[in-house]
Amino acid sequence: PFSGLRFGKYILLKRLAIGGMAEVYLARLEAAAGFSKPVVIKVVLPGYASDPHFIELFLDEGRLAAQLSHPSIAQTFDLGEVGGRYYLAMEYVAGEPLHVVLRRAERDQKPVPLRCVVRVLTQLLEALDYAHDLGDAEGKPLHLVHRDVTPSNVVITYHGGTKLLDFGIARAATQNHQTQVGIVKGKLGYMAPEQ
């Protein structure tokens, strides 16, 4: 039902996932002179579109993610609103989530080669180090902590790279809204030491 549906300057191709607060689509950016680029669009669900607190959290996510520019972090290109629904446009990463790769290796009883494990971990740690050390335009540290570095948020690209996704529940010193005391964001087994 979504294939070919226009959403602002994007054409929605298919829904990839739906969560409690947003849905994610594979889409295509279409621009002048036949320019076309695959992207992923994260759209706030209608039930949250009129919640000012949630919208501010979503906008914080977009502003934060737009500052990240690293080869092992999926890029955020655009933040906007179409018909009362806020969205983020992000890099489409062609590959397999790490949890799928690990499950397949276990099923086939073929361990992931050590050189591949080291490459993935090195690229992931470089991305996290970059994000943690990132400063704002004036050089003030953001103190960014991802808070959900799970195998489902790490994609192994078909070209052998590693991409970290979803800074949606990241914590940064510059955010307009801070997590309330006693509220846990992320999964216990994957929480950063700062949490």
Side-chain angles (χ1 to χ4, degrees):
F2 304 106
S3 186
L5 182 66
R6 180 165 287 282
F7 185 78
K9 58 188 169 187
Y10 304 98
I11 303 294
L12 302 181
L13 303 174
K14 71 176 182 177
R15 184 164 54 193
L16 300 174
I18 185 165
M21 299 177 211
E23 51 195 340
V24 179
Y25 295 93
L26 175 61
R28 184 175 62 244
L29 167 64
E30 292 188 342
F35 178 87
S36 179
K37 182 175 184 66
V39 295
V40 171
I41 304 289
K42 182 177 184 178
V43 183
V44 173
L45 288 171
Y48 289 91
S50 60
D51 179 343
H53 176 71
F54 177 79
I55 294 303
E56 190 57 39
L57 291 174
F58 189 80
L59 295 174
D60 269 351
E61 173 186 348
R63 289 186 287 257
L64 177 65
Q67 296 179 61
L68 301 170
S69 180
H70 187 276
S72 293
I73 297 175
Q75 300 293 294
T76 296
F77 302 126
D78 191 15
L79 169 65
E81 179 263 329
V82 172
R85 293 188 67 191
Y86 285 90
Y87 71 89
L88 287 172
M90 300 167 284
E91 175 184 6
Y92 168 68
V93 180
E96 299 285 335
L98 181 57
H99 75 279
V100 171
V101 173
L102 296 173
R103 193 177 319 130
R104 185 179 308 122
E106 183 179 0
R107 181 196 68 211
D108 296 345
Q109 297 181 350
K110 293 182 179 178
V112 178
L114 182 59
R115 64 182 165 70
C116 295
V117 172
V118 170
R119 180 179 172 96
V120 168
L121 288 175
T122 300
Q123 291 177 350
L124 184 57
L125 290 171
E126 287 172 352
L128 291 169
D129 182 61
Y130 162 82
H132 189 74
D133 290 344
L134 186 66
D136 65 13
E138 288 79 40
K140 181 180 172 189
L142 294 175
H143 302 293
L144 181 60
V145 177
H146 188 288
R147 300 202 288 193
D148 196 25
V149 184
T150 62
S152 60
N153 281 334
V154 177
V155 172
I156 310 305
T157 71
Y158 293 131
H159 299 291
T162 303
K163 289 279 187 172
L164 179 58
L165 311 177
D166 196 7
F167 274 81
I169 66 166
R171 176 180 57 85
T174 60
Q175 286 179 297
N176 293 329
H177 290 86
Q178 298 295 319
T179 302
Q180 296 174 358
V181 173
I183 301 295
V184 176
K185 289 190 175 183
K187 295 172 188 76
L188 184 60
Y190 296 95
M191 286 186 179
E194 294 86 346
Q195 288 181 263

